[in-house]
Amino acid sequence: MKLVFDDITLAPFEDETCLRAKISDCYGIAAPAEITILKKSLDARHKRRIVYRYRVMAEIPQSIAQALLKLKGVSPFTAAPPASATLARAPGLEVIIVGAGPAGLFCGLRLIEAGATVTILERGAPVEERHHDILTLKSSGMLNPESNVLFGEGGAGTYSDGKLTTRIHKPETAWFFRTLVESGAPETILYEQKPHLGTDRLVPILRRIRGRIQAAGSKIIFHARVVDFLIEHGMTRGVLTHDGQAYRAAAVVLATGHSARDMYALLLSRGISLEKKGFAVGLRVEHPRALIDAIQYGPAAAGNLLPSAEYTLTFNHRATGRGVYSFCMCPGGEVINASSEQGRLCINGMSYSARNAEYSNAALVVSVSPSDLSGHPLAGIAWQRELETGAFLAGGSGFTAPAQRITSFLDGRLDTDLPASSYRPGLHAALHTYLPAWLSDELKAALRVFNSRMRGFITREGVLIGVETRTSSPVRITRDAQYEAINQPGLFPVGEGAGYAGGIVSSAVDGIRAADAIVKKIHPLGA
């Protein structure tokens, strides 16, 4: 009989091969021949007893199992429903997908599984070429507006840590994770509480996904920026790219990400319904990794047995009604340039799979509601651009980033020097005066609260780097329950850029669900 054993713990120095013996010791039974790890998490709440907690399934003889079921932490194993399969077959269906980020790629894979043919148009470069362009920006401050941290194969997620943590529980999530593993991701992502790939792992995974799409007879076309829609008799029938090439299909999936600002302008000019949505902006904070490890792990940090420490911080300011929170925490990572427009600077963070770099960083951002902005649907983008222009000028107009020590930010002082940083092409000591006063005040209030929860967070060794604006889209492309734009039939906006997702997993799942909706709507079952 298959039983589930909850809360089996291992010390950081113990190997997972010890789990069978742990079950034997805890329950007084022979060690199971085989086990399957269902969940793994790190519990660092008690710094003098940091442990890994496991949920494990094992085959136990029926005679013993019945007695074990009376004990706390033991339950019968119930298999999860299989990963949601494609709902219908769609041979002959052709679909254009604009954007090769998580939403676009997994929408394409789902459609291909249904028998459809897809053409994915990506304005940026394949990962190999894209990596070269990003290294050039880091070393020389030369930006390629079409190939950077935000644009190119894999989307922004490729260069923002590869986090697979999600709060959604839709059945398509299992299909996404299964497909990732089939494409080369480690099976540990199936049970880790906070699965993480890292950019170095994502690159070969993306190559395999590209090969899978091409082997099915579909295409990914790079350096193909969409500049218009082909609309015939009120229906979206294709797109036009910047080089004058027309592509036609039965449906167009718009999966362009939250930074394709020219696409929002095109949608507005075409009368496609847009609305403002909430987002967040702020600064990125960077500390020495050893400092964050010491704060979070205490004496246990000295053993080098634990992974680089993470943190999640939130502050709800009752006086103003705003929320301030950490976002995209990158332990053992680096701060990166996430700009996509000349003369405008924004930043992000990333980690490689080992997460063992010298510094740890996270965004500290303040919530912005639609009511904070003017009535124009693109008001959020206009404000983002204003902040990014201010950061670019404050940093010296060469993609060096304006920065202040945390202590200096709180005191309103200009630094005479700055701590070392992972950011390239480098930091420039500057006051964050391009931020509106209310936003700075919110960050200052939050920093003091965060320091009360993580003693030592406020330190001269910590540096605030600006500006972080691309946490999510400030625009939503309104669509119906079938994922179709409400006033433009044949156009299916998905993912972060459409305003319906946030992160790799939710974006991919949004694309998967849109694919199923397209198959049902355009190529119904039995047709």
Side-chain angles (χ1 to χ4, degrees):
M1 182 177 183
K2 292 180 179 178
L3 297 184
V4 174
F5 297 90
D6 278 312
D7 207 23
I8 305 298
T9 63
L10 292 181
F13 57 83
E14 293 181 297
D15 190 84
E16 287 181 351
T17 56
C18 298
L19 284 169
R20 294 169 58 248
K22 287 278 184 175
I23 293 173
S24 175
D25 292 343
C26 288
Y27 294 97
I29 61 174
E34 292 184 13
I35 62 169
T36 300
I37 298 173
L38 303 178
K39 201 75 177 176
K40 175 185 178 181
S41 62
L42 179 65
D43 184 351
R45 290 174 295 177
H46 306 290
K47 293 181 173 53
R48 297 196 177 276
R49 189 178 180 272
I50 296 175
V51 296
Y52 286 99
R53 297 190 181 277
Y54 290 84
R55 190 167 190 255
V56 177
M57 184 270 286
E59 185 80 40
I60 304 296
Q62 187 80 18
S63 57
I64 301 173
Q66 293 303 322
L68 290 175
L69 284 172
K70 299 175 183 178
L71 302 178
K72 183 179 180 181
V74 183
S75 59
F77 173 74
T78 303
S84 176
T86 306
L87 298 177
R89 301 295 298 166
L93 175 64
E94 295 185 5
V95 178
I96 291 166
I97 299 173
V98 185
L105 289 174
F106 281 86
C107 179
L109 289 171
R110 186 75 161 188
L111 286 166
I112 288 168
E113 186 175 276
T117 301
V118 302
T119 298
I120 301 177
L121 303 174
E122 169 55 52
R123 70 189 297 165
V127 284
E128 303 87 350
E129 183 182 336
R130 183 183 182 193
H131 185 63
H132 175 268
D133 293 330
I134 291 168
L135 289 179
T136 299
L137 176 59
K138 289 173 69 173
S139 62
S140 64
M142 293 179 60
L143 171 70
N144 181 342
E146 299 297 333
S147 177
N148 46 59
V149 164
L150 296 171
F151 297 149
E153 186 177 17
T158 305
Y159 287 91
S160 63
D161 210 46
K163 294 181 183 68
L164 301 179
T165 306
T166 181
R167 287 191 288 266
I168 66 171
H169 299 286
K170 295 176 180 176
E172 294 81 7
T173 305
W175 190 91
F176 164 76
F177 277 95
R178 186 194 74 194
T179 304
L180 266 185
V181 171
E182 290 172 354
S183 301
E187 290 195 2
T188 53
I189 67 171
L190 300 177
Y191 60 77
E192 289 177 331
Q193 183 186 35
K194 296 182 178 180
H196 165 259
L197 289 172
T199 292
D200 50 329
R201 283 178 176 164
L202 275 169
V203 169
I205 290 169
L206 285 168
R207 289 197 191 103
R208 293 187 186 99
I209 289 174
R210 185 201 311 166
R212 183 172 175 173
I213 289 168
Q214 293 169 336
S218 291
K219 295 181 287 187
I220 301 181
I221 301 173
F222 296 103
H223 306 293
R225 178 167 51 86
V226 170
V227 296
D228 205 358
F229 300 105
L230 302 177
I231 299 174
E232 299 171 359
H233 307 293
M235 292 288 297
T236 308
R237 292 304 185 194
V239 298
L240 186 71
T241 54
H242 71 285
D243 55 2
Q245 181 70 43
Y247 297 86
R248 296 177 179 275
V252 173
V253 175
L254 191 61
T256 47
H258 59 44
S259 293
R261 292 164 168 172
D262 50 356
M263 180 54 68
Y264 294 124
L266 171 61
L267 292 165
L268 189 67
S269 71
R270 278 293 198 166
I272 295 168
S273 179
L274 305 174
E275 62 184 20
K276 296 181 296 178
K277 63 175 284 291
F279 59 110
V281 300
L283 302 171
R284 190 154 282 262
V285 62
E286 183 175 61
H287 293 87
R289 174 169 61 93
L291 174 63
I292 296 300
D293 289 353
I295 293 173
Q296 295 295 80
Y297 295 149
N304 294 320
L305 294 172
L306 294 166
S308 297
E310 300 182 54
Y311 60 79
T312 301
L313 295 166
T314 61
F315 169 60
N316 293 311
H317 198 168
R318 292 183 179 179
T320 63
R322 292 190 189 276
V324 185
Y325 56 95
S326 62
F327 175 78
C328 184
M329 199 271 149
C330 301
E334 62 184 79
V335 179
I336 57 173
N337 187 334
S339 305
S340 61
E341 297 176 333
Q342 299 291 0
R344 297 189 175 103
L345 170 67
C346 67
I347 59 171
N348 203 335
M350 63 163 280
S351 299
Y352 292 104
S353 57
R355 286 181 159 178
N356 61 357
E358 190 175 353
Y359 302 97
S360 293
N361 69 79
L364 298 182
V365 293
V366 182
S367 61
V368 180
S369 71
S371 61
D372 291 321
L373 307 166
S374 72
H376 195 280
L378 303 188
I381 290 176
W383 189 53
Q384 285 177 328
R385 281 174 160 160
E386 180 183 330
L387 293 174
E388 291 167 17
T389 299
F392 182 78
L393 296 174
S397 302
F399 288 111
T400 51
Q404 277 182 282
R405 295 179 187 270
I406 299 175
T407 49
S408 301
F409 177 71
L410 291 171
D411 295 339
R413 289 184 287 105
L414 181 66
D415 290 296
T416 56
D417 65 345
L418 291 170
S421 171
S422 65
Y423 179 80
R424 300 291 180 271
L427 303 181
H428 178 77
L431 300 171
H432 292 298
T433 52
Y434 54 88
L435 298 177
W438 64 264
L439 197 148
S440 294
D441 290 343
E442 295 288 350
L443 289 170
K444 290 175 181 178
L447 280 165
R448 294 185 174 97
V449 172
F450 296 162
N451 190 65
S452 70
R453 298 174 186 167
M454 290 179 62
R455 292 291 181 185
F457 194 84
I458 293 178
T459 171
R460 277 178 51 81
E461 296 179 76
V463 62
L464 292 164
I465 308 170
V467 62
E468 177 127 358
T469 56
R470 313 287 182 94
T471 55
S472 63
S473 174
V475 184
R476 178 173 287 119
I477 308 168
T478 49
R479 68 187 189 192
D480 61 22
Q482 285 71 50
Y483 292 79
E484 196 168 25
I486 60 170
N487 64 340
Q488 185 51 65
L491 181 67
F492 295 82
V494 300
E496 283 205 38
Y500 294 93
I504 293 174
V505 179
S506 61
S507 293
V509 168
D510 202 53
I512 293 165
R513 292 171 71 89
D516 289 347
I518 290 168
V519 169
K520 288 175 65 178
K521 181 178 180 67
I522 299 179
H523 203 94
L525 187 64

